[in-house]
């Protein structure tokens, strides 16, 4: 009888020990005033902002959910990160649209936390910040605040960042005119490419995704505000149904189509390993193998997912080189969780594998689902071979 290794963290996120995601207090998210402003020439800044508004009037095309009588949106935002949503980046937190102490995203889900003032678009793991993933200006404007030099400390730097009032970490603040401002947080140390007073075009690189400030995972946090009030770009300012997109979202059509297509739970990352890795190693991107020895102690598939609610599932199927499924396990989640980590696998025992793990290509298939509908699917491969 095979011995199945199962890792199931059933506790809340805070019980992980390694802290894959941290639920932050609302006072830690006044990021739209965190970046220091350079307003030495206020009139010049206002003139530049006015010119920006005239030169970059948004297109008149609107998404299907937009009422035809609204005209062009007051601002049109492009994707603020150089990635392909749903492939190598994902929204992991939305703006909290609930004014109470509860949390609610624009879909009336709980993929946010109390007081969260922006949209968090994250990468699969920490190792990817070495790839210098660009953070992009969502719209044209004038830089009115920058910060660089904060370390990419991740979880270990949270207390210091909060104490110093630098929750945003390295960041950029852009004035788009008519009271509209965007702010981009948690950029990589030494990556900021712009300076205060500089004219910025939509899509221009501002820096790179990092781990600076009050964060535990690599992402860009983007806050949109109008006259100092936070605006959810999925809702806009023209109202709409209680749950779902507003009558006039503020993402441009291409960006909205890509971001709104994402459904939770989100499958962030998955890999083969020769045992059950620590959650910190999985989050760091250091617990992945593409080749194993036949003498490996185990063959394991782990995955991480975000935005889980009761009833969501995560299924892992491991197929041996002969095409037979040796593992087919499903985890059913019983509570709302910002993130989860699970692992399933087989011990490499003489009883199970007298000659060691069979040589050849092993496949892992990971599927996350809600209400029986797949929200994320991924196939991974590891080759078992004799080294040398």
């Amino acid at each position: 009888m095979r011995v199945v290794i199962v890792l199931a963290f059933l506790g809340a996120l805070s019980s992980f020990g390694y802290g894959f995601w941290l639920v932050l207090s609302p006072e830690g998210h006044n990021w739209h005033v965190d970046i220091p402003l350079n307003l030495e020439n206020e009139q010049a800044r206002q003139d530049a902002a006015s010119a920006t508004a005239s030169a970059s009037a948004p297109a008149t095309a609107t998404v299907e959910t937009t009422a035809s009588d609204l005209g062009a949106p007051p601002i049109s935002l492009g994707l603020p990160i150089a990635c392909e949503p749903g492939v190598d980046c994902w929204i992991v937190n939305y703006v909290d649209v609930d004014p109470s102490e509860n949390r609610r995203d624009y879909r009336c889900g709980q993929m946010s936390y109390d007081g969260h003032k922006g949209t968090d678009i994250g990468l699969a793991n920490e190792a990817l910040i070495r790839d210098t993933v660009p953070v992009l200006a969502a719209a044209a404007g004038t830089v009115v605040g920058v910060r660089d030099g904060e370390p990419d400390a991740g979880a270990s730097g949270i207390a210091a960042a909060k104490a110093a009032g630098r929750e945003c970490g390295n960041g950029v603040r852009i004035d788009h005119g008519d009271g509209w401002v965007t702010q981009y947080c948690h950029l990589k140390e030494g990556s900021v490419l712009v300076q205060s007073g500089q004219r910025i075009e939509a899509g221009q690189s501002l820096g790179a995704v990092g781990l600076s400030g009050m964060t535990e995972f690599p992402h860009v946090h983007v806050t949109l505000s109008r006259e100092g009030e936070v605006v959810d770009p999925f809702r806009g300012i023209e109202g709409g149904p209680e749950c779902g997109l507003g009558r006039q979202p503020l993402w441009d059509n291409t960006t909205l189509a890509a971001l709104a297509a994402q459904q939770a739970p989100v499958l962030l990352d998955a890999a083969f390993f020769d045992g059950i890795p620590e959650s910190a190693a999985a989050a760091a991107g250091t617990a992945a193998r593409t080749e194993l020895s036949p003498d490996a102690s185990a063959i394991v598939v782990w995955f991480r997912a975000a935005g889980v609610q009761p009833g969501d599932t995560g299924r892992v199927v491991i197929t041996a080189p002969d095409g037979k499924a040796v593992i087919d396990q499903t985890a059913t989640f019983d509570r709302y969780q910002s993130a989860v980590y699970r692992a399933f696998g087989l011990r490499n025992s003489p009883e199970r594998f007298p000659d060691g793990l069979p040589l050849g290509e092993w496949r892992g298939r990971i599927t996350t689902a809600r209400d029986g509908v797949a929200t994320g699917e991924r196939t991974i491969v590891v080759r078992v071979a004799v080294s040398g």
Side-chain angles (χ1 to χ4, degrees), residues 41-58:
N41 191 338
E42 176 66 14
Q43 186 59 52
R45 184 190 68 81
Q46 291 181 357
D47 291 345
S50 177
T52 295
S54 299
S56 60

Side-chain angles (χ1 to χ4, degrees), residues 105-178:
D105 62 46
Y106 81 94
R107 290 170 167 161
C108 291
Q110 295 194 25
M111 208 164 171
S112 184
Y113 46 88
D114 185 32
H116 190 239
K117 295 179 171 66
T119 303
D120 291 346
I121 304 177
L123 306 179
N125 58 63
E126 295 169 14
L128 295 175
I129 69 172
R130 294 195 296 267
D131 295 340
T132 311
V133 179
V135 172
L136 310 175
T142 302
V143 177
V144 293
V146 297
R147 181 191 292 127
D148 203 347
E150 297 297 309
D152 292 297
S156 64
I158 286 177
K162 186 173 182 179
R166 296 187 172 188
E167 294 94 335
C168 181
N170 304 313
V172 176
R173 180 176 167 88
I174 301 176
D175 187 325
H176 305 285
D178 294 331

